[in-house]
Amino acid sequence: MPLFFLFHMFANPNYSLQMEFIDSHTHLYLPQFDNDRDEVISRAMDNNVSRMLLPNIDAGTIDDIIKLSGKYPGICYPMTGLHPTSVNSEFEDQLQAVKDSLSQNNFIAIGEIGIDLYWDKTFFREQEKAFREQINIAVREDLPVVIHSRESIDAIIEIIDDENPEGLKGVFHSFTGTAEQAKKIVERGFYIGTGGIMTFKNSGLDSVIKDIDIEKILLETDSPYLAPVPKRGKRNESSYLRHIADKLANIKGLTVKEVAEITTYNCINLFNLE
Ligand code: NI
């Protein structure tokens, strides 16, 4: 590296060449990004978000994820799995599509999977069945899981304890639970995904997140949903991860660079990225 370049780095405290973030959860393949997906990715890179992990929704989105991650190798990473809000009485067919996809690609995780009791409780039993089956698939495939746990954290912990598949690891994404629930999650070796909700004034998450070991925290946008303050209400995108990192740095009393280093390391570690 030329000397003047080094000088430039030290002279400018905002110089962020070596800072790297990973958006551990973005639905960048959805139609909300059809008109400007490439620009969204380059804006993310300009804001030091150098990698974006893509959780699947159902059989209808697997091809879009494979296509996008194929176009951006080393930047966009594919997952496969059946999202709980896509589980209905015919979930077996959907699950079959997920299983079939496993041989077609190098997926980094099974996700997102879980239980959602917020939108609709009609298919709770089916959601539970799909979740049980998918955590066992993950262990067989030696992949981590990305868990959606909206109003269902206790139910999910109960299922994990009941199945107790050896070597299961993963993240509870978009965590909005209590300190007690966070403790149970971390005790079981799982990570906690934090995103835009943490920046909302009345989320009450500050005090909960403050007590979670940062070595167990991942950053995520969940874009296009849940844009952080000051972008709240807008379409979310990976470049906004910076606002989430700022908030976490503030809660933890760390620099943004430290938050970048630790959360990126956590993410690489969980998803076995190079
Ligand atoms: Ni999601």
Coordinates of all heavy atoms in Angstrom, one line a residue, residues 25 27 55 83 112 148 173 222 225, ligand 1:
H25 N -29.9 -10.7 6.6 CA -31.3 -11.1 6.3 C -31.9 -10.0 5.4 O -32.3 -9.0 5.8 CB -32.1 -11.2 7.6 CG -33.4 -11.9 7.4 ND1 -33.7 -13.1 8.0 CD2 -34.6 -11.6 6.8 CE1 -34.9 -13.5 7.7 NE2 -35.5 -12.6 7.0
H27 N -34.6 -9.7 1.7 CA -35.4 -10.3 0.7 C -35.2 -9.5 -0.6 O -36.2 -9.1 -1.2 CB -36.8 -10.4 1.1 CG -37.0 -11.2 2.3 ND1 -37.1 -12.6 2.3 CD2 -37.2 -10.8 3.6 CE1 -37.2 -13.0 3.6 NE2 -37.3 -12.0 4.4
P55 N -32.7 -15.0 2.7 CA -33.6 -16.1 3.2 C -34.8 -16.3 2.3 O -35.3 -15.4 1.7 CB -34.1 -15.5 4.6 CG -34.0 -14.0 4.4 CD -32.9 -13.8 3.4
H83 N -41.1 -20.6 4.7 CA -41.5 -19.5 5.7 C -42.9 -19.9 6.4 O -43.8 -20.4 5.6 CB -41.6 -18.2 5.0 CG -41.7 -17.0 5.9 ND1 -42.9 -16.8 6.6 CD2 -40.9 -16.0 6.1 CE1 -42.7 -15.6 7.3 NE2 -41.5 -15.2 7.0
E112 N -36.2 -18.8 5.6 CA -36.5 -18.7 7.0 C -37.6 -19.7 7.3 O -38.5 -19.9 6.5 CB -36.8 -17.3 7.4 CG -37.9 -16.6 6.6 CD -38.0 -15.1 7.1 OE1 -38.5 -14.9 8.2 OE2 -37.7 -14.3 6.3
H148 N -37.8 -17.5 12.1 CA -38.8 -16.5 12.2 C -39.7 -16.9 13.4 O -40.3 -17.9 13.4 CB -39.6 -16.5 10.9 CG -40.8 -15.6 10.9 ND1 -40.8 -14.3 10.2 CD2 -42.0 -15.7 11.5 CE1 -42.0 -13.8 10.4 NE2 -42.8 -14.6 11.1
H173 N -34.1 -14.5 14.0 CA -34.0 -13.2 13.3 C -35.1 -12.3 13.7 O -36.1 -12.7 14.2 CB -34.0 -13.5 11.8 CG -35.3 -13.1 11.0 ND1 -35.4 -11.8 10.5 CD2 -36.4 -13.8 10.7 CE1 -36.6 -11.7 10.0 NE2 -37.2 -12.9 10.1
D222 N -33.9 -7.1 7.1 CA -35.2 -7.7 6.7 C -35.8 -6.9 5.6 O -37.1 -6.9 5.5 CB -36.1 -7.9 7.9 CG -37.2 -8.9 7.7 OD1 -37.1 -9.7 6.7 OD2 -38.2 -9.0 8.5
Y225 N -38.8 -4.8 4.3 CA -39.6 -4.5 5.4 C -38.8 -3.8 6.5 O -37.6 -3.8 6.5 CB -40.3 -5.7 6.0 CG -40.8 -6.7 4.9 CD1 -40.2 -7.9 4.6 CD2 -41.9 -6.3 4.1 CE1 -40.7 -8.7 3.6 CE2 -42.4 -7.1 3.1 CZ -41.8 -8.3 2.9 OH -42.2 -9.1 1.9
Ligands
NI1 NI -37.6 -12.2 6.5

